[in-house]
Amino acid sequence: MMLSSLLLCLLVNVFDIRALAAQPNNLGSSFDGNYAITWGNNYYLDTTTRTLVNKSFITRLSFFFCFIGSGFGSKLSYGSGLFHFRIMLPAHDSAGVVTAYYLTSHGAHHDELDFEFLGNKEGKPYTLQTNVFTQGQGNREQRITLWFDPTTSYHAYRILWNPYQIVFYVDDTPIRVYKNKTNIGVKYPSQPMQIVASLWDGESWATDGGQTKTDWTQAPFKAYFKGFNISGCPSYNSNIQHCYSSKIWWNRYKYRSLSRNEEKLYEVVRDKYLNYDYCSDRSRYSITPPECPHQ
Ligand SMILES: *[C@@H]1O[C@H](CO)[C@@H](O)[C@H](O)[C@H]1NC(C)=O
Ligand SMILES: *[C@@H]1O[C@H](CO)[C@@H](O)[C@H](O)[C@H]1NC(C)=O
Ligand SMILES: *[C@@H]1O[C@H](CO)[C@@H](O)[C@H](O)[C@H]1NC(C)=O
């Protein structure tokens, strides 16, 4: 990376954040109450944290990096919920840049539910990859092409997680379903998970399998997040049984399977926008993974 572009990157961001902090905001959902900055690789993020001192007035977080990456996470972990962010992804040439939003329980035997937005050359569509880890085992990638430009407006990305099913939504469209099939021996997430968001350099794999590299003259890469209120069941230790209660709204009957209309939308996505599914990757799995026929 050239020194001049790095300096320019740093400079641009100081101004950007000041402008953001100065703009009037609606109160309500607070970043400060639910989340904290967890990762930043250089002094540059210090600038962010300092300028965002009065974070309760920030309803939009502008997130960026000049190299390596940065991230934030929820202060608590959760045992079920309908998690959401509204996100606007890095624009222009974002090849190599990964914006991730996921739930994770950490550790070697962790559970994890991932949204990974894989940047692309300007004018080429973003790929959205999802993955499900249970007790440390992932390798359940699916990829779709988004049917809109996610860099010019905010869209809602949600994860429903209850004892019956996990559903990934893009706006109101379910794009992936992972059902609780523990009755046939398929593992299902069962540990408290933290909500994490990050923006980082994934040029070794993210775009065209790593063939297309990050263009650092395009830095800073920026993602914008909104919607910091959390509909989740907090868990303070490893026991999340209380989060399975049918008194919690996202555990009710309505949320135990897709509605008729959601099923239709889901089928359209699978027909038109799915471009990779581990379930049908014979070179990887000669025997279809047991969870696949049931989703
Ligand atoms: C919390 O988030 C949900 C989902 O985006 C939204 O409908 C609701 O209005 C939000 N509540 C507050 C207090 O911001
Ligand atoms: C944040 O700013 C508002 C408006 O200026 C002020 O009323 C409030 O006390 C500040 N909060 C903190 C924690 O500084
Ligand atoms: C999965 O479903 C079974 C009932 O089939 C239930 O007993 C169990 O608690 C659920 N597991 C999780 C981790 O939600």
Side-chain angles (χ1 to χ4, degrees):
M1 182 178 14
M2 295 194 17
L3 186 60
S4 59
S5 70
L6 175 60
L7 283 174
L8 188 66
C9 180
L10 294 173
L11 215 68
V12 164
N13 276 290
V14 173
F15 288 118
D16 187 66
I17 278 295
R18 282 201 187 131
L20 180 65
Q23 79 188 14
N25 266 311
N26 294 327
L27 279 175
S29 46
S30 130
F31 178 83
D32 204 22
N34 292 325
Y35 292 95
I37 306 255
T38 50
W39 176 40
N41 59 300
N42 47 42
Y43 102 92
Y44 165 50
L45 191 67
D46 289 344
T47 317
T48 328
T49 348
R50 249 199 329 270
T51 325
L52 295 182
V53 164
N54 197 335
K55 283 186 287 248
S56 49
F57 282 76
I58 302 285
T59 55
R60 181 183 90 162
L61 184 67
S62 158
F63 225 58
F64 46 78
F65 73 102
C66 293
F67 50 100
I68 307 186
S70 50
F72 65 92
S74 61
K75 293 179 178 174
L76 300 180
S77 289
Y78 299 85
S80 67
L82 179 50
F83 303 93
H84 66 97
F85 275 123
R86 288 198 298 130
I87 307 174
M88 188 158 68
L89 295 170
H92 308 302
D93 185 347
S94 61
V97 175
V98 179
T99 308
Y101 149 39
Y102 54 104
L103 305 177
T104 183
S105 66
H106 304 288
H109 301 285
H110 70 295
D111 296 332
E112 186 173 307
L113 305 172
D114 294 319
F115 272 120
E116 290 173 319
F117 302 91
L118 312 181
N120 213 337
K121 286 278 184 206
E122 185 153 17
K124 288 195 173 180
Y126 256 79
T127 294
L128 170 53
Q129 171 166 293
T130 56
N131 203 352
V132 173
F133 283 72
T134 51
Q135 294 172 28
Q137 193 226 317
N139 297 323
R140 297 191 177 101
E141 294 87 355
Q142 285 183 3
R143 294 179 179 209
I144 64 164
T145 305
L146 291 173
W147 50 91
F148 51 83
D149 182 351
T151 70
T152 51
S153 57
Y154 288 90
H155 289 265
Y157 302 96
R158 296 184 293 153
I159 302 176
L160 170 68
W161 168 31
N162 65 29
Y164 311 94
Q165 61 172 355
I166 289 158
V167 184
F168 293 78
Y169 289 94
V170 172
D171 295 319
D172 291 324
T173 302
I175 61 151
R176 179 168 191 171
V177 180
Y178 186 91
K179 288 189 186 293
N180 176 343
K181 289 287 171 191
T182 50
N183 61 336
I184 57 159
V186 175
K187 293 193 182 95
Y188 195 76
S190 60
Q191 306 171 68
M193 293 197 273
Q194 184 194 14
I195 308 162
V196 182
S198 62
L199 185 62
W200 45 285
D201 172 29
E203 70 171 5
S204 66
W205 65 278
T207 310
D208 304 325
Q211 300 293 302
T212 305
K213 303 293 183 192
T214 306
D215 176 2
W216 291 102
T217 65
Q218 301 296 313
F221 301 101
K222 293 183 198 171
Y224 300 90
F225 286 78
K226 282 182 178 179
F228 300 115
N229 65 337
I230 298 175
S231 302
C233 168
S235 181
Y236 301 93
N237 57 43
S238 61
N239 187 345
I240 59 171
Q241 284 298 322
H242 66 286
C243 295
Y244 298 167
S245 163
S246 58
K247 294 194 175 121
I248 302 176
W249 63 263
W250 54 80
N251 292 338
R252 288 194 198 131
Y253 189 74
K254 182 181 166 196
Y255 297 95
R256 296 182 188 180
S257 58
L258 299 187
S259 70
R260 202 45 93 66
N261 189 45
E262 285 178 334
E263 270 175 17
K264 278 188 202 146
L265 294 169
Y266 181 50
E267 270 170 35
V268 171
V269 168
R270 297 205 47 104
D271 270 5
K272 291 200 171 147
Y273 302 105
L274 185 72
N275 54 33
Y276 177 80
D277 184 358
Y278 76 107
C279 284
S280 45
D281 187 343
R282 292 286 161 269
S283 60
R284 244 173 123 189
Y285 298 99
S286 53
I287 300 168
T288 307
E291 65 274 20
C292 290
H294 304 279
Q295 312 300 336

